[in-house]
Each structure stands twice: as structure tokens, then as C-alpha cells.
Amino acid sequence: TVDPNAVGLSDDRRARTEALLLKAYDRKHGGFGEAQRFIQGDTLEWALERSRPLQRNVDRDTWREVAARTLGGARRIIDPVWGGMFQYSDKVDWSGPHFEKLLNVQRDAMRAYVLAWQIGHDDADLKAARDIGRWLMDFMRAPSGAFYTSQDADVSHGEHGDAFYAKSDAARRAGPQPSIDRNSYARENGWAVATLAALYDVTAERALL
């Protein structure tokens, strides 16, 4: 039975939880499961926290590898031109991006990359966080200062995302672009502000204000 007044995980439940995570972990490509690859914010935060130097009675190297390989693979679904992370990859090696960009994905990804940089100081993690923040500021911010909700995968007149997102910045801007959902919601704005604040906390870059 579970004590409803218990705070935190028992040693046994923690061990069973971590065993399940490691069983699902893809040791070759990073990520979890046998199908799509996407950022799992809470799982990555768990792995990152377990990799901290002050953690006791834990195989920190294992969790460091879980986080690093997953975050390294996920960089493949960050738009290299405009920034922002695509929704997921339909291939386990992160090479099949579904090109929609959603605010919750940016939240989870930026939170993970900032935390990874704070722990390991790998410049690639900080660059990934900056690339996500760059898209939020350049494409998702309304004139009022609030943030929009998402950007479609494909161009509305029928051009697929794989063709559009292969273009340079100039070529993308020369014609129709994937539409942006310009609704603005409190929840999504909270996600954007919190993650940009986390990035600002480690960079102090005024461009994020």
C-alpha cells in the first residue's frame, strides 16, 4: 500500500521508476521507446538532476549519458535557420522531423537545455537553448509583447514542410510561410516567459527582454 502522507519517493519506488526509464532508453540514439522521438521534459529533468555531482548512491555517469545522448539527438529537430524545435521525429535517429512548432515543446526543450548547461557547461546545450529562444522572440512575439501559440508544419498552399524548411532564410521569406496561430493564451504565454527567463538567467542577454 502507498502512504498518502508520504513525501517524495521511497527507495524502492525510485529504483523501480529508474529501472523502467532505463529499460525504455535507446542507448544508440537517445530518447525513449521504440517509435517517435520527442523531448520528454520531466524525464530529461530527472536524468539531469540524477547526474549532478552532489547526488549520492546513484550511477551519475549513466544518467549523464542518458541526458547527453538524448539532448544531442534532439538537436537534430531544431530548425537550423530560424530556430525553434519541431514537434517530434518519426524516426528513432531523430532524422524525420514533423515540422510543426508548438509552445509546449519549446518550453520542455529550453528548460532541459538550460539545465543541462548549468550542470555540464556544454556550449552546445547553451546554443540549443538560444536557438529555441531566438525563434520565440523573432516569430512568436506579438506587437503587444505577448506570445502566439504555434506555427504549422506546412505552407497553406500545399508546400510540405520538408521542402520549405530545407530553404535558406532569404528563400523562406520570399514566398508563403507556414501559418502562425496568432491566438494568445495565458498558459502558452506563461510557458514562453518562464523559459525565456531561465535562459536570461544564465546569459543576461538583453535581446531576450
Side-chain angles (χ1 to χ4, degrees):
T1 59
V2 177
D3 179 358
N5 298 311
V7 177
L9 295 175
S10 67
D11 290 343
D12 177 65
R13 177 159 292 191
R14 182 186 298 275
R16 286 187 285 126
T17 298
E18 293 187 340
L20 288 171
L21 291 178
L22 293 175
K23 182 178 180 180
Y25 171 61
D26 181 342
R27 296 179 183 276
K28 182 176 181 180
H29 303 294
F32 302 88
E34 299 177 355
Q36 298 166 344
R37 287 288 174 268
F38 56 94
I39 283 288
Q40 298 181 6
D42 293 338
T43 303
L44 276 171
E45 187 169 345
W46 181 297
L48 287 163
E49 290 293 346
R50 296 297 272 168
S51 74
R52 284 185 182 274
L54 296 180
Q55 287 281 348
R56 297 181 178 181
N57 302 319
V58 62
D59 184 353
R60 295 195 301 273
D61 290 341
T62 292
W63 292 107
R64 187 180 300 115
E65 194 272 340
V66 169
R69 190 174 296 277
T70 300
L71 289 171
R75 291 187 198 112
R76 299 189 70 183
I77 58 172
I78 294 176
D79 182 350
V81 178
W82 283 350
M85 180 173 280
F86 300 124
Q87 185 179 10
Y88 62 87
S89 168
D90 60 15
K91 297 180 180 178
V92 296
D93 65 355
W94 302 90
S95 66
H98 175 75
F99 294 98
E100 189 174 9
K101 296 178 183 177
L102 305 174
L103 262 291
N104 66 307
V105 173
Q106 317 311 311
R107 172 203 61 190
D108 288 350
M110 190 184 294
R111 184 180 73 182
Y113 282 114
V114 168
L115 181 58
W117 185 85
Q118 289 174 315
I119 294 171
H121 298 286
D122 184 338
D123 288 342
D125 291 324
L126 188 56
K127 180 181 184 303
R130 281 179 166 140
D131 283 343
I132 295 165
R134 175 164 57 89
W135 175 74
L136 287 171
M137 295 298 287
D138 291 349
F139 290 88
M140 299 304 286
R141 189 169 52 164
S144 65
F147 289 88
Y148 301 132
T149 301
S150 63
Q151 186 169 27
D152 284 349
D154 304 315
V155 179
S156 58
H157 75 276
E159 183 179 18
H160 290 295
D162 55 355
F164 177 84
Y165 284 104
K167 296 177 180 178
S168 66
D169 177 62
R172 291 181 185 186
R173 294 178 187 271
Q177 301 169 19
S179 64
I180 291 174
D181 181 345
R182 297 182 184 276
N183 288 302
S184 185
Y185 302 111
R187 181 184 64 173
E188 280 74 6
N189 271 265
W191 291 342
V193 170
T195 50
L196 288 166
L199 181 58
Y200 178 83
D201 189 51
V202 299
T203 65
E205 292 170 344
R206 293 193 62 81
L208 297 170
L209 298 177

